[in-house]
Amino acid sequence: MNILSNILPQTPATPSNKKRRGIEIKSQREIDIMRQAAKIVATVLKEISQMVEPGMTTADIDAYAEKRIREMGATPSFKGYMGFPASICSSVNNEVVHGIPNPKKVIRAGDVLKVDTGAYFQGFHGDSCITIGVGEVTPEAAKLIRVAEEALYKGIEQVKAGNYLMDLAGAIQDHVEANGFTIVEDFTGHGVGRNLHEEPSVFNFRTREMPNVKLRAGMTLAIEPIVNAGSRFTRTLRDKWTAVTVDNALSAQFEHTVLVTEDGYEILTDRSQV
């Protein structure tokens, strides 16, 4: 889940969303707990990717995700966060992020479906997003999904202690633009741990407007490029959550929770490991 504080409603701090200052370096004990939280997220998203089919509603997927998260001993990170009403964000086609599940929102063959979810387990969050091509999608949609996922891994490959956020941001941007797509700049990734959103902001494009933080072992980052087929610009609907592309072009997103290590990284929400 990817927050822009200037467009979303604010709620009083709670144990799971209270604001903390500074970048947190996780201890080994905290990392071990985060591995468990992230494994729950990875498991749920893997199961969803295998079960989605035309005719389901986004509310069906939300109900399944909440049920599975709770069965594994965690609580949904998103539900109630800043007033968000569901356990997943389900964004379809031109919806960029923060789509609200709806029993009237029927998934159809050819849709580009983004499913973003988080799990809060023993005081720590895991956070991840996938994009699913439902049934047979157009060649453009298939390429968009592929490039968005490749861009995530291009960024992750730059993660290790001593590198900088700009290293991964530049790798993501270069791959996306080389393939003829655009990076959404209205939303960024973030640190993740005790809080769903922590410092630093993890941007996906070159900028001098945000700190170019040096990575340190023990940092845990939610890296999440959002890639549009057309304009990079977005607008927010009247529900004050759902962001859509301004030109109605398709959008795709992938996200992993990643641990920075001394010599590289560990993808905590790796679906291939569940």
Side-chain angles (χ1 to χ4, degrees):
M1 195 180 196
N2 202 320
I3 296 295
L4 260 187
S5 60
N6 64 327
I7 65 168
L8 297 181
Q10 301 294 310
T11 58
T14 69
S16 62
N17 72 9
K18 64 184 179 180
K19 295 191 176 186
R20 302 172 66 91
R21 294 184 178 179
I23 297 171
E24 294 194 359
I25 304 300
K26 309 304 189 294
S27 68
Q28 188 58 56
R29 181 191 70 84
E30 293 167 341
I31 291 168
D32 289 341
I33 296 172
M34 284 198 67
R35 285 194 181 102
Q36 295 178 74
K39 184 177 180 179
I40 292 169
V41 174
T43 299
V44 171
L45 288 179
K46 184 173 183 177
E47 292 175 0
I48 287 172
S49 72
Q50 295 169 343
M51 66 175 276
V52 166
E53 60 183 12
M56 297 181 70
T57 70
T58 53
D60 293 334
I61 301 171
D62 179 64
Y64 180 86
E66 179 169 359
K67 174 176 176 289
R68 291 293 288 128
I69 289 169
R70 294 189 186 280
E71 284 177 349
M72 288 184 277
T75 56
S77 297
F78 295 0
K79 195 165 189 178
Y81 183 79
M82 299 178 73
F84 191 76
S87 298
I88 66 168
C89 295
S90 55
S91 308
V92 183
N93 295 331
N94 69 319
E95 295 172 347
V96 177
V97 289
H98 304 154
I100 300 174
N102 188 320
K104 296 182 180 179
K105 188 85 168 184
V106 178
I107 299 164
R108 305 185 186 281
D111 279 347
V112 175
L113 170 67
K114 282 78 70 182
V115 180
D116 190 355
T117 196
Y120 185 62
F121 180 78
Q122 295 184 8
F124 289 85
H125 295 272
D127 187 10
S128 186
C129 178
I130 58 174
T131 298
I132 303 166
V134 181
E136 186 174 346
V137 299
T138 66
E140 178 193 46
K143 180 181 178 183
L144 177 71
I145 294 169
R146 173 178 59 80
V147 169
E149 186 168 24
E150 289 172 350
L152 170 61
Y153 287 102
K154 292 288 186 182
I156 291 173
E157 287 169 1
Q158 299 300 314
V159 174
K160 70 174 182 179
N163 278 6
Y164 288 83
L165 285 179
M166 195 69 76
D167 295 323
L168 67 92
I172 290 170
Q173 182 178 15
D174 287 348
H175 187 71
V176 169
E177 293 179 351
N179 281 278
F181 298 124
T182 59
I183 279 285
V184 171
E185 297 183 11
D186 293 336
F187 304 94
T188 71
H190 50 89
V192 60
R194 287 186 178 86
N195 299 281
L196 184 56
H197 294 92
E198 299 180 345
E199 295 181 19
S201 294
V202 182
F203 39 94
N204 304 303
F205 52 92
R206 293 180 177 87
T207 179
R208 294 185 179 181
E209 296 181 5
M210 288 185 278
N212 187 18
V213 173
K214 186 176 183 178
L215 302 182
R216 296 169 57 195
M219 293 172 63
T220 45
L221 308 174
I223 303 171
E224 48 183 319
I226 307 172
V227 181
N228 287 354
S231 170
R232 67 177 174 84
F233 294 104
T234 70
R235 63 183 180 88
T236 302
L237 301 183
R238 283 185 288 181
D239 65 13
K240 296 184 179 180
W241 282 102
T242 309
V244 300
T245 55
V246 295
D247 54 2
N248 292 318
L250 294 175
S251 185
Q253 177 190 8
F254 283 89
E255 174 188 19
H256 272 311
T257 296
V258 179
L259 169 68
V260 182
T261 66
E262 289 290 353
D263 57 357
Y265 58 85
E266 179 183 344
I267 301 174
L268 300 183
T269 48
D270 186 352
R271 296 180 300 281
S272 71
Q273 300 301 308
V274 299

